Amino acid sequence: MRLARLIVTFFYIGHTKIAPGSIASLVTTMIFYLFAKHLISYLFIIIILITTFLAFFAISVYTYKLIEKDRSEIVIDEVIGQSIALLPLLLFEQTNPPQLFMCMISLLFFRFFDIVKPYPIYKFDKMNNTFGVIFDDILAGVFSALFLIIALSF
């Protein structure tokens, strides 16, 4: 249970009192920015997939006896979604490492889609299970990545 808590709270960031999801997204963005010059796009994709796999099992263990599955301290889903939102910076950005400004644009796009939850994101957010906890943030990350690709083309 301790390992599951460590994973789902992203090293206890989820226990912050104010905006734990936003803080986890910001920390993810800063970690990405610091290590982006050493990342290869396919390696980052593998990291995202492994994190998603671990998150699925950790959230299942952590929420096993809980009625409400999508609790505010669970922020590993924001880490996954934000990582997906940052992926175009490795795939399409001309500068290496990506510019901090573009990382922040990615963060703003992701937080917008994660908070507003347009269709179909809100459908998955309403699911009270592990899949819904993770997949709404994956979709928010995909929407953000698409908007970031459009922004990078200008």
Side-chain angles (χ1 to χ4, degrees):
M1 181 67 165
R2 278 197 251 165
L3 180 59
R5 178 184 296 254
L6 185 71
I7 293 169
V8 301
T9 62
F10 193 52
F11 304 99
Y12 302 108
I13 289 172
H15 289 297
T16 57
K17 298 287 184 208
I18 300 172
S22 294
I23 293 171
S25 296
L26 177 63
V27 169
T28 302
T29 302
M30 300 312 327
I31 291 170
F32 171 84
Y33 180 72
L34 291 173
F35 290 101
K37 64 182 169 191
H38 305 292
L39 279 174
I40 302 166
S41 56
Y42 73 84
L43 177 62
F44 192 51
I45 292 168
I46 291 170
I47 290 169
I48 294 169
L49 290 173
I50 291 170
T51 304
T52 303
F53 183 76
L54 287 173
F56 188 83
F57 288 105
I59 292 170
S60 295
V61 168
Y62 187 75
T63 63
Y64 177 69
K65 293 184 179 180
L66 300 176
I67 295 170
E68 181 190 349
K69 304 297 183 191
D70 198 0
R71 300 172 58 100
S72 63
E73 72 263 21
I74 299 173
V75 294
I76 193 65
D77 52 331
E78 273 81 10
V79 172
I80 295 164
Q82 183 62 59
S83 297
I84 293 168
L86 289 162
L87 186 58
L89 295 177
L90 288 181
L91 297 173
F92 301 109
E93 181 68 293
Q94 299 299 319
T95 60
N96 190 10
Q99 298 173 352
L100 181 59
F101 174 74
M102 291 311 293
C103 292
M104 291 297 117
I105 295 296
S106 171
L107 174 68
L108 291 175
F109 281 152
F110 176 71
R111 291 312 300 154
F112 172 78
F113 285 111
D114 191 37
I115 293 168
V116 174
K117 299 188 187 310
Y119 182 84
I121 297 170
Y122 76 87
K123 288 280 193 189
F124 291 97
D125 184 57
K126 296 297 177 205
M127 298 172 80
N128 193 29
N129 58 29
T130 302
F131 179 78
V133 170
I134 295 173
F135 200 69
D136 74 307
D137 291 282
I138 288 174
L139 282 178
V142 169
F143 280 37
S144 304
L146 293 172
F147 272 72
L148 189 61
I149 290 167
I150 293 167
L152 289 171
S153 66
F154 288 106

